[in-house]
Amino acid sequence: MDERQAMLDDIEQEVVYTRRDIGKDTLDPRVMAAMAKVPRQRFVPESHRFRAFANGPVPIGHGQTISQPYMVALMTDLVAPRADSTILEVGTGSGYQAAVLAEVVAQVFSVEVVEPLAKAAGKRLAELGYRNVSVRHGDGWNGWPEHAPYDGIVVTAAAARIPPPLVEQLKPGARLVIPVGEPGSVQDLQVIEKRADDSIDTRHVLLVAFVPLVHPSA
Ligand code: SAH
């Protein structure tokens, strides 16, 4: 069996293991098709290519990691993407999550606080032909107000509390998918839905472990 198929099988299996937490047995088939398509090996460093399709995180330098495939698939599913959606990602890292999102939605904006990572991810995504992704270097705590409001926001770093600008930049009915909790321990993956009256609904999905969301512009 090829490595990419093994990765898809691992994701499906982990979805089944966590079905009570995530409330479903399978993920959106469009999300799984994107996981099958995006060349994950191009997003991990040369030295870690042998782990490109393993269902675990991989170091990408600067103390950061590309998230495990299951988590990328789950977060993409939880944001409830539609073909015409514009999605904001906070924490570009390698650009892999942005590429998966770009396969299922119309437009992706992604913010990365580590400048060399932002530059490398932008270049990589352009080389791979992703014309519907824009990467910016900056503090994603503040979102990317120029393109707001968004049909969904995915934060791939753990925040001690929910950044208010991100909730502000959601359209009514849109979702924010974010790990909430102190770094160094486990965090609570939450789905925050903004209701039509601007109030929010919080769903606790499952325990996760992400690198911290820093806030240098505070
Ligand atoms: N989504 C990435 C993995 C993210 S790792 C991928 O698919 O490869 C988390 C990333 O969030 C790291 O690259 C880290 O530098 C970045 N980050 C942390 N705090 C941030 C902030 N305030 N704004 C933007 N990016 C941030």
Side-chain angles (χ1 to χ4, degrees), residues 42-124:
R42 297 286 299 272
F43 294 84
V44 303
E46 211 62 79
S47 56
H48 282 78
R49 291 269 152 96
F50 70 102
R51 289 195 46 85
F53 297 100
N55 192 21
V58 178
I60 55 171
H62 305 273
Q64 306 302 332
T65 56
I66 172 173
S67 308
Q68 69 164 151
Y70 160 75
M71 195 49 58
V72 173
L74 177 63
M75 290 176 91
T76 308
D77 179 281
L78 289 173
V79 80
R82 292 184 320 263
D84 63 351
S85 298
T86 297
I87 302 288
L88 172 69
E89 180 196 20
V90 175
T92 318
S94 66
Y96 179 69
Q97 169 78 77
V100 171
L101 282 164
E103 293 286 351
V104 289
V105 305
Q107 188 69 47
V108 179
F109 293 97
S110 186
V111 187
E112 169 57 54
V113 75
V114 177
E115 191 164 17
L117 287 177
K119 280 209 175 120
K123 183 163 173 267
R124 180 177 296 126

